[in-house]
Structure formats: structure tokens, C-alpha cells
Amino acid sequence: MYPQQNAAPPPTPTSSTQSRPPPEQPPRVKPKRLKAHTVTSKSYSIPLVPRDKAGKPMLPLNVGIMTVIALGSVCMREHFHTERYIFPVGYEVTRRYLSTINPSVEVVYHCTILDGGDGPKFQIVPADTPERPVIAGTATGAWSSIVKQANAIRNRQHSNSVSGPDFFGLGQNTIKHLIQELPNADRLRDYVWQNFIEGGPLGGRHAAVIPALPEEY
DNA sequence: ATCTGGTGGATCTTGTAAAC
DNA sequence: GTTTACAAGATCCACCAGAT
């Protein structure tokens, strides 16, 4: 909204963050978040991804607790990627999370990225309430709604803070790697390319990436 | 012992409203 | 009409607990 600030980020404290200091200024002992939006290109080791003879990843694919159904296609338009994430249209994953209607069970959530015209639309379809999908303009907005409801029915007063892209799996290195392999991904200007080494020195329970069974529900 | 997912909180960005 | 301040939402980082 402030073109002047975007054009030249001022060192002077004119932003809203600085305009809201607490009156008493309580002492801060934990200086977290040392850097802000400075994504650098790095190399990461990721598990070996099973592929077909053409070299394409075999879908659906289990990555951690998530299952990648489809990778979609990279959209070159502006709001379909950031310096950290790519939002391919048609991207589909499923993951398990707490139910929003039954406090004692978990359900599978089907997450999809749709083309909203001027930007991506993030759709989440709970397995227990498929007639009530959650659609938002951001991944965080969509998942915040789910998390709030899940906490509400459990009478939990958490902060409800979630990382939408992480919940969509876009923060997973393996999934990032697969998305980067999509056509035109290397032409995205704002996206900061990362280097992934398949079959790197990884261990742990989620190190293995295996093809998912089609009948997982 | 190591790794991952989940949780909590701090920080940043953006939108809106009010004052000049 | 422009600038400043406030507010809300979104994003990211660090820590903790559980599983292998």
C-alpha cells in the first residue's frame, strides 16, 4: 500500500511495526528472527524419490505424514510464487490432522491449489465434512480456519498460529525439489532456487519416501 | 541418539481509517 | 490529496515431545 516504502525501504522508523511500541517497553531477552525475508540458495540432502522410467516421480507419494497426489503445473503469474514457495496450480496433497467436528479423532484433509485468476486459491476438503470445503486466498488463511475449529471443539486456547505453506507441504524439501523440477519453475524470477541432493545422508523415521497406495482412505 | 511434526510466539507485511 | 497511525493477518523461527 505504500509504494514509497516498497521502492526504497527506509532505515528510518516509519513503518507500522515501529509505530506501535508498548508504552512500558518490557525487556526482551530472546532476540528471535534475526533475518527477515532473506532467502538464500542452499543445498539440502533429501531422500531418494522413486521415479518411473521417464524419470518422473511416482505419484501418489508419501512424504512424511503427507501424501502428494499431484504436483500440478507452475504458473508464471506473479502471485503464484514467492521467494520461498511455489504454488503450482493443480497441486494436491492429503494429510492427517485433528477433526473439526469430533474431538477424539483425526481425519484426512485433501489440500488443493486452484487458479483463482489474480492469485492462487487454497482449498482444503476435510474427509469428515467434504460438503464444507475451506477456501482462502492464502494457505495460512485456509489452515487457520481449520486449526481454530479444531482447537475450539477441544476447548483449547492455543494461539491458532499455523504456517499455511508448511501445512500444505510446500515447506518440505522433498516436495520443494519435485516442484522445482516442474516445467518453467526455473524461470520464476522471485523464487530463490534451492539445490537438493537426492539420496543424501538422512536417517530417521521419515527419511524414506515411498509411493503411496491409491486406496489410502 | 537422531529426526520429524507440532506448537507457540515474535516479527513482518498489508489494508484501512483518521488527521492534516 | 497526502501522510501517518492503527489494526489484523500472514509468515517465519525456535523449542518440545514423540517415534524410529
Side-chain angles (χ1 to χ4, degrees):
Chain A
M1 177 186 227
Y2 300 124
Q4 304 94 328
Q5 293 183 355
N6 291 339
T12 54
T14 54
S15 68
S16 61
T17 303
Q18 304 286 348
S19 65
R20 233 190 327 171
E24 295 120 14
Q25 300 216 352
R28 283 229 172 94
V29 294
K30 290 170 66 179
K32 300 169 75 176
R33 196 179 179 118
L34 300 178
K35 56 178 180 175
H37 297 280
T38 53
V39 181
T40 58
S41 183
K42 295 181 181 177
S43 295
Y44 300 94
S45 297
I46 62 173
L48 196 62
V49 177
R51 300 175 184 274
D52 57 19
K53 293 181 179 180
K56 294 185 178 182
M58 297 174 65
L59 300 177
L61 189 71
N62 278 342
V63 180
I65 64 169
M66 311 191 64
T67 301
V68 180
I69 307 299
L71 291 171
S73 58
V74 173
C75 184
M76 298 299 295
R77 278 173 285 168
E78 184 178 0
H79 296 96
F80 287 82
H81 71 279
T82 67
E83 63 182 5
R84 192 176 289 267
Y85 302 113
I86 301 173
F87 307 122
V89 174
Y91 174 80
E92 290 184 51
V93 297
T94 61
R95 70 172 295 148
R96 296 175 62 84
Y97 191 68
L98 303 174
S99 170
T100 58
I101 60 174
N102 188 338
S104 61
V105 301
E106 290 185 351
V107 297
V108 175
Y109 289 84
H110 193 128
C111 309
T112 310
I113 300 179
L114 306 173
D115 188 348
D118 57 343
K121 290 291 184 184
F122 297 84
Q123 181 187 66
I124 303 174
V125 181
D128 53 352
T129 55
E131 73 281 0
R132 298 187 63 183
V134 177
I135 301 176
T138 64
T140 300
W143 269 107
S144 290
S145 177
I146 300 289
V147 173
K148 284 179 183 178
Q149 293 181 47
N151 287 335
I153 66 169
R154 291 166 177 81
N155 295 320
R156 301 177 71 182
Q157 298 300 322
H158 289 308
S159 64
N160 297 324
S161 64
V162 297
S163 174
D166 286 347
F167 270 55
F168 263 80
L170 300 172
Q172 290 269 354
N173 286 338
T174 303
I175 297 179
K176 273 186 177 182
H177 173 52
L178 297 180
I179 292 176
Q180 280 190 176
E181 292 182 338
L182 294 174
N184 297 325
D186 56 342
R187 295 170 58 191
L188 298 173
R189 282 200 166 189
D190 294 336
Y191 181 71
V192 178
W193 195 264
Q194 305 293 336
N195 297 314
F196 297 103
I197 304 170
E198 280 192 39
L202 276 181
R205 74 194 146 124
H206 296 306
V209 181
I210 59 177
L213 297 174
E215 63 280 5
E216 58 176 314
Y217 288 84

